[in-house]
Every structure is written in structure tokens, then in C-alpha cells.
Amino acid sequence: MEEKKLDLNSIIGFVLIFGILIWIMYQNQPSKESIAAEKAKKEQLAKTENANKVVAAQAVAAPAVVVAGDSTQMVQLQKKLGGFAYSATLPSAKNDFTTIENEVVKLKIANKGGYIVEAVLKNFEKFKKGSGKLVELIKDNNASLSLQLHTNDNRTLNTKDLFFEPTLAKVGADQILSMKLKAGANEFLEYKYILKPNDYMIGFDLRSQGLNKVLNTSKPLDLEWNLKTYRNEKSISYENRYTEVYFEHEEGKINYVGQGQNKEEDSNKTTYVAYKQHFFSTILLTNKPFGTAKLQSNNLVHDEAIDTTFTKQFKTNVPLAFENGELDYKMSWYFGPTDYKTLKSYDKNLEKVISLGWGIFGWINKFIFIPLFGFLSSYISYGIAIIIFTILIKVAMSPITFKSFLSQAKMKVLRPEITELGEKFKKDPMKKQQETMKLYNKAGVNPMAGCIPALIQIPFMYASFQFFPSAFELRQKSFLWADDLSSFDDVIKLPFHVPLYGDHISLFPVLASIAIFFYMKMTSGDQQMATPQQDGMPDMAKMMKIMIYVSPIMMLFFFNSYGAGLSLYNFISNLITIGIMIVIKRYFIDSDKIHAQIQENKLKEPKKQGKFQRKLQEVMEQAEAEKAKKAKK
């Protein structure tokens, strides 16, 4: 094959083509005049676009650019904006902010929308002590407050898209920030923020003046308040469990929306709405109750390994009614800790957002646990306070514990005679029951005496499950290896996640589980001896053996992600119970004396049956009679 070579003609062709291209490029190069004109054109276009953005924020449909002194365009713009075009011409019509702060809270209010875009608690850190990151309830557009304005020409505007004019003043020690959305020199909608020294409660007055010329005041304005709650604690799952919407309605009633996906509640005569996080809350209060309110809550934590920033999405919609053509609402914002004493100090029923349990459980927390623990923790460290608090509670309950153990000892002494009756009347269960009840009556033993003390202790146990997770004072307080008594005390971080358990090992739950294992091991024998086996009933001995191992395992899994303070309380509680049980058995309960006393009681006139025993016997007799009738048929 002949080799191809680059000849002279080809070279001349390439040079000519290249020269032609250079000439074309030179001829199309813009002149200095055209460059300047193009630059001026771009600058003008940029100015126009910026002006349009400002005005577009003020209207549903973007109007023409406002030109100072052009009365024709101003009239057209006012028509499109329903009169609020006046705000677009003010110097405040830009994305600027005003900051007000006191010793405990710092707030930043935006010109656009007039609402709080940052709320920082200055004395609290997120996640752990020493992190250097302050708790921020509002930041980075996680919250909004907006009113829907219905104009006389049937347009709907949102205040969050409109610009307010700020005026900051100081009256004494109070800071007062007035944010006005103006429709004219003397026509406006005003948000007034009043910040007092060293106070988490911020006054919030909402009023209008002269807007009946612009707005349709025959129907209420719709207020919408949104908040996407940031995670502030070590455990997002634990924090999310106690994050929910509470509200007060119908003259003091407290209710909540509930957990889960897309939960909703409707409320009448609502006086406050609380977006409660585990240890911090954002609350909107009103002196004039909202006629109706629609509250929504949506869970944002589906996978705690991935969803680590937010916990819940909250939303509230309420109508604000006009009176004589104007709005006038005296409201307040609370940005602060979900602390019982702090909330109660405002005397507005706010402490009810803290779940302390219903009925007797709440009473125990309010009148025993909170005052007692508050007194102890004011003098000693919180970990030691929990230990002493637990000792005092258990010592106070020791008479009840003593009665329970004494009843078990009496039943244990009667066990051989009850077994003998069971063998004697094996074929006649009704007779067996009757004779057993007679034996109890002669011996002066109440079979329910052992259960009643245990039932009395249950409310205190349940109250502790409500008290410790709600104790704000435990937040970021350390004790021994636990750096935060309000969160789990992980001593080992696992490289994997165990279902229902987590990715860590907490030590206090392990110790509490060991303590309850030994407690159940020590008491199971007495309970089996004291409780006679009933016909048709499961084998109690087998059930107790199973519970000895199941209960500690359940506690281990259940408490692994709970606060260390609650686990410490349960550990100390079980230890003290074991100690009290050993002391009572060794020094206060003598089986021989109990046996002698029972035999002596048998010789005496049988005691009159109590109401419970009589009722129980009547029920058994009726059951036996029904059984006999069926047998005849």
C-alpha cells in the first residue's frame, strides 16, 4: 500500500483556512462603545431583577418596578397588593434583622415576615456539657409565623412574604421592638415584642390600625405557626419520646396531640399551645382565647442512625377574629427550659405540659418527689441526692414491706395444713376452698395481706418512672461514670446495633438488673411456700423460676436507653429492699413464734369474716351451685 504523505498543496490550504478564521474573529470583536453599552444594560437588568424580587415578595403576582415619584405605578401596585405596596417602598424592605436579648435568651427578628427567626438559650448547651454549642430552639428557617390577609379585592397575602418596619425602644429595663407592616402612613399591622430582664417570657402584642380600608374584616385572619424541632440531647430516641404538642383549652383543661405520624387534634377556646421538647419548650400564650385551633404533629425520626437532626414537625392553625374592624391580641412567647419550678412560677398552668402521671401518681410526684428531691439537691450533688432520696422513700415504705413479709411468713407456716386440706378434699374443690377459708379465719391470717402492701408500693414505683425522665435539674449533671444523669450512661460503645437494646451498654441498668435478680431469687422460695397451688391454676413454682430470669433481662433491655438517674434509683431501690428483707427476716420474723401464735389463735373464738372473705365465699358457693345444676342436667 502506498504511504500517504502531506504535500505542499495541503499545507497551503490549512494556512489559508486558519487565516480566514483569524480575520472573521477580528472583524466580529466588539468595540469599546458596544462593550460599555452591554455592561450598562446588564447592570440595569440586575437592578430591575432585584427590585422585582422585593416587590414579588409583596404580591401574589409580581407587579411593575416601583419608581420613586411615579404616582401612576404606585396606584397600580397598591391595587395589586391590596394597599401593602407602601411597605415595598420603605428602607426596611430588605432581608435585615433586629436582635434583642437579656441574660437568658437571645432573639433575632426578621424584617421579612416580622417573626422570630432565631431563639437562643444563653445558659444551656446542647448534647453535652462543654460542647460549646448553645441550645437553639429556632434557627435556619425551622420556624415560621404567618397571617393570611384577605384583601377587599379578593386577594390573599401571607405576612411571612411581606416586609415589616422595625422600631426598637427601651422603656426602663424593658426592650420593646415594634414591627409594622404598613399599608399607608397610619394604616398597619403591628407585632410588638416586649423583652424583660432575666425572663424567658416575651410579651407579644398583635394589633392592627386602619386596615379595614384594605382588608376584608368580615372574616377572621388565619394564623399559622410552624416549628421543626431540633435535637438537643444525647439520645434522639429518648428526647423524641418526650417531644409533643400540649395545649390548654376550655378554661384550664390540658390535652396533647400524641406521638406518631400525622397526628391531629382540634381544640376550642385555646389559651396556649406548647411545642414541648424533652427539656425545652416553645409556647404561644394568649389572653384572649382562640375560638378554635387545629394542631398537628408529625414524627421525623424513623431511623435514629440516619434521622439525627430533627425530632418532630409541629403545626398550629388558629383564626384571629376582628373586633370593630381591628385586631387586638395580647399574647406571649415562652422560650425556655421545660422545668417544673420555672414553668410553675408564671402561674399560667404551664407546668401541666410536664407529664407527672395522672391521679395518685401525679400527686406523689407533686407533693412528695418534687419537694423532697428539690430540697436534697439544693445541698448535695445530684447523684448523692438520688441515693439519699431513694433511701428515704424505701425507709418510709419499710412498715408496708414488713407487713408483706410477715404475711408471707404466716402463709408459709400454714402451708402444710393447706396442703393437707387439698389432699383431703381433692375431689370436692368447693369444700376445699371453704375449709381453707375457715382455716385462715381461725388462724387470724388474711391471704390478701401480702398483696395489699405490694399494691400500695406500685404507685410510688410508677411515679418514679414519670419523675426522673421529667427532672430538668438532672440534665448534664454527672455522677461517677455517668456524664449526664438525664441520659444513658454508656460505658461501652458497640460496633453494631442490637434490636430493642441499642448500640451501647449502659452500666447502671446492668447493676439494677443484677440487683433485681438476687432480690427475686431470695423472695421466690418464700412466695412459693406461702402460695398454695390451686387446682386448674398454672404451676406457680415454674412461673416464679421463669420470672427470676425474665424480669432482669426485661429491665436490662428497657432501661439501656433510659436516663441514668432512673436506673440509679432502681439499682439503689433494689439494694435497699434486699437489705430491709434480710434485716426483717433475721431480727423481726421468727417462724416458731408465728406458728405458736397461729395455734393459739385457732383455740380462740373465730374472728368475724371480713367483707372481702364473705364476698369471696359467696362467689365460690354460687359457682359451686351453678356447677351442680349443670351436672344434674
Side-chain angles (χ1 to χ4, degrees):
M1 184 180 290
E2 182 179 355
E3 185 181 357
K4 290 186 178 180
K5 296 181 180 180
L6 193 63
D7 59 9
L8 182 61
N9 292 333
S10 297
I11 293 173
I12 294 171
F14 280 122
V15 170
L16 290 173
I17 292 171
F18 183 77
I20 292 170
L21 289 174
I22 294 295
W23 181 81
I24 292 172
M25 291 174 63
Y26 178 78
Q27 290 295 321
N28 286 284
Q29 184 178 4
S31 64
K32 292 182 180 179
E33 292 78 11
S34 62
I35 291 174
E38 183 65 21
K39 185 177 180 181
K41 183 178 180 182
K42 288 182 179 179
E43 289 177 352
Q44 181 61 35
L45 182 61
K47 289 180 181 178
T48 303
E49 288 177 349
N50 288 335
N52 280 335
K53 286 179 181 178
V54 171
V55 178
Q58 307 287 342
V60 176
V65 181
V66 177
V67 180
D70 191 334
S71 59
T72 303
Q73 287 188 346
M74 177 59 72
V75 170
Q76 292 175 351
L77 188 57
Q78 284 179 330
K79 287 181 178 179
K80 291 183 178 181
L81 289 175
F84 289 100
Y86 185 86
S87 296
T89 67
L90 298 172
S92 61
K94 57 184 178 181
N95 289 318
D96 207 352
F97 309 91
T98 304
T99 299
I100 55 176
E101 61 182 305
N102 58 19
E103 296 82 356
V104 295
V105 66
K106 179 180 178 181
L107 305 174
K108 183 186 283 188
I109 297 92
N111 288 4
K112 187 175 182 180
Y115 58 87
I116 298 170
V117 292
E118 283 188 18
V120 182
L121 301 183
K122 299 167 72 173
N123 297 328
F124 302 104
E125 294 178 285
K126 61 170 57 178
F127 305 135
K128 63 179 182 179
K129 194 172 183 179
S131 67
K133 299 177 180 178
L134 295 177
V135 170
E136 298 170 294
L137 298 180
I138 299 177
K139 69 168 185 175
D140 297 337
N141 299 315
N142 73 314
S144 67
L145 181 79
S146 183
L147 289 173
Q148 279 195 349
L149 308 177
H150 307 288
T151 66
N152 287 326
D153 58 352
N154 296 321
R155 290 182 175 273
T156 301
L157 307 174
N158 289 305
T159 58
K160 67 180 180 180
D161 299 324
L162 308 177
F163 287 95
F164 287 67
E165 182 179 24
T167 304
L168 182 59
K170 197 165 185 180
V171 179
D174 299 347
Q175 300 172 62
I176 300 177
L177 175 62
S178 170
M179 304 292 294
K180 290 183 178 179
L181 173 64
K182 294 189 173 182
N186 297 307
E187 294 86 33
F188 55 82
L189 173 71
E190 181 185 33
Y191 296 165
K192 183 184 288 185
Y193 299 91
I194 305 165
L195 182 63
K196 298 179 181 296
N198 202 35
D199 198 349
Y200 295 107
M201 190 73 73
I202 296 94
F204 179 59
D205 296 347
L206 192 158
R207 72 184 187 95
S208 67
Q209 179 176 302
L211 292 187
N212 54 345
K213 301 174 184 177
V214 179
L215 298 180
N216 180 358
T217 59
S218 63
K219 58 181 180 178
L221 301 185
D222 297 318
L223 181 148
E224 182 179 295
W225 174 34
N226 294 283
L227 180 65
K228 199 175 181 182
T229 56
Y230 276 106
R231 170 195 179 184
N232 288 305
E233 308 305 325
K234 182 178 177 180
S235 172
I236 190 169
S237 60
Y238 194 50
E239 180 180 5
N240 196 35
R241 186 179 302 150
Y242 297 98
T243 299
E244 52 193 327
V245 180
Y246 278 81
F247 56 97
E248 183 187 55
H249 63 120
E250 296 178 358
E251 300 180 352
K253 294 181 181 178
I254 305 297
N255 206 343
Y256 60 93
V257 175
Q259 302 279 355
Q261 297 295 118
N262 302 317
K263 297 294 183 178
E264 292 186 2
E265 285 288 339
D266 293 324
S267 170
N268 296 318
K269 298 180 180 178
T270 308
T271 42
Y272 74 68
V273 177
Y275 291 168
K276 171 187 171 285
Q277 296 174 246
H278 189 183
F279 287 125
F280 300 98
S281 291
T282 304
I283 307 175
L284 176 62
L285 306 92
T286 176
N287 291 350
K288 183 195 301 182
F290 302 130
T292 59
K294 183 177 182 180
L295 307 109
Q296 297 172 277
S297 174
N298 190 27
N299 180 39
L300 301 178
V301 181
H302 307 291
D303 185 343
E304 61 183 85
I306 300 173
D307 305 321
T308 59
T309 303
F310 300 100
T311 54
K312 294 282 197 320
Q313 173 74 61
F314 296 141
K315 182 179 179 181
T316 298
N317 291 92
V318 297
L320 301 183
F322 287 94
E323 288 186 5
N324 300 318
E326 301 292 358
L327 289 174
D328 188 13
Y329 280 82
K330 300 288 184 182
M331 297 189 283
S332 302
W333 290 105
Y334 175 85
F335 299 97
T338 312
D339 174 51
Y340 184 86
K341 292 179 182 177
T342 303
L343 293 172
K344 189 173 177 60
S345 68
Y346 289 102
D347 196 26
K348 294 182 180 292
N349 220 22
L350 299 181
E351 70 277 6
K352 294 291 183 66
V353 306
I354 300 175
S355 179
L356 296 175
W358 53 272
I360 189 172
F361 312 117
W363 299 339
I364 291 171
N365 276 322
K366 290 176 188 176
F367 302 117
I368 300 177
F369 282 10
I370 290 176
L372 178 59
F373 188 76
F375 173 77
L376 293 172
S377 60
S378 63
Y379 292 100
I380 53 180
S381 68
Y382 287 93
I384 301 298
I386 291 175
I387 294 174
I388 295 177
F389 171 83
T390 310
I391 292 172
L392 292 175
I393 295 296
K394 297 305 291 186
V395 168
M397 300 290 290
S398 59
I400 297 173
T401 306
F402 174 76
K403 287 187 177 181
S404 179
F405 287 149
L406 182 61
S407 176
Q408 287 182 17
K410 288 181 178 180
M411 293 292 290
K412 184 178 178 181
V413 170
L414 285 177
R415 172 80 182 211
E417 296 183 51
I418 294 172
T419 303
E420 185 180 338
L421 289 174
E423 291 295 326
K424 185 177 179 180
F425 300 103
K426 191 174 184 179
K427 295 183 179 180
D428 192 349
M430 184 62 191
K431 186 68 175 176
K432 174 188 168 183
Q433 291 290 349
Q434 290 175 343
E435 293 299 321
T436 301
M437 295 302 294
K438 286 180 183 178
L439 176 62
Y440 287 149
N441 192 33
K442 284 182 180 180
V445 174
N446 185 352
M448 296 301 295
C451 300
I452 294 172
L455 291 174
I456 294 174
Q457 295 183 67
I458 287 176
F460 286 84
M461 181 184 69
Y462 182 79
S464 71
F465 279 81
Q466 299 293 108
F467 170 72
F468 284 100
S470 302
F472 179 84
E473 51 266 56
L474 294 181
R475 185 179 186 268
Q476 297 182 352
K477 299 300 189 299
S478 61
F479 180 66
L480 299 177
W481 56 83
D483 58 2
D484 186 350
L485 286 169
S486 71
S487 188
F488 54 79
D489 58 311
D490 51 333
V491 292
I492 298 176
K493 191 73 175 177
L494 301 175
F496 49 84
H497 186 274
V498 179
L500 304 177
Y501 185 72
D503 59 357
H504 62 274
I505 297 176
S506 298
L507 186 53
F508 278 129
V510 173
L511 295 176
S513 298
I514 293 172
I516 197 172
F517 171 78
F518 281 107
Y519 166 71
M520 296 190 70
K521 192 80 172 173
M522 293 173 68
T523 58
S524 61
D526 289 342
Q527 290 175 351
Q528 291 173 35
M529 291 294 293
T531 307
Q533 180 65 35
Q534 302 292 330
D535 294 335
M537 295 293 288
D539 190 335
M540 294 301 295
K542 289 182 179 179
M543 289 183 65
M544 287 305 302
K545 285 180 180 179
I546 293 172
M547 290 304 297
I548 288 172
Y549 297 97
V550 171
S551 295
I553 293 173
M554 288 176 61
M555 174 170 280
L556 192 65
F557 273 75
F558 185 74
F559 284 98
N560 191 58
S561 294
Y562 263 68
L566 179 59
S567 299
L568 173 61
Y569 171 82
N570 280 283
F571 170 55
I572 299 299
S573 178
N574 288 323
L575 281 184
I576 295 171
T577 303
I578 290 172
I580 290 174
M581 182 182 68
I582 292 172
V583 170
I584 290 174
K585 281 188 172 184
R586 181 169 295 181
Y587 298 105
F588 294 96
I589 294 180
D590 187 328
S591 297
D592 294 333
K593 287 184 178 181
I594 291 173
H595 184 268
Q597 183 65 49
I598 288 176
Q599 298 307 317
E600 185 180 334
N601 290 340
K602 287 181 182 180
L603 300 175
K604 295 179 181 178
E605 186 74 20
K607 290 183 179 181
K608 187 179 180 180
Q609 284 185 327
K611 290 183 179 180
F612 176 79
Q613 289 177 314
R614 288 201 308 271
K615 189 67 177 176
L616 182 62
Q617 188 167 344
E618 288 174 6
V619 169
M620 289 190 296
E621 289 174 354
Q622 289 175 3
E624 189 65 23
E626 289 293 327
K627 186 177 179 181
K629 285 182 181 180
K630 290 181 180 178
K632 288 180 180 180
K633 292 180 180 179

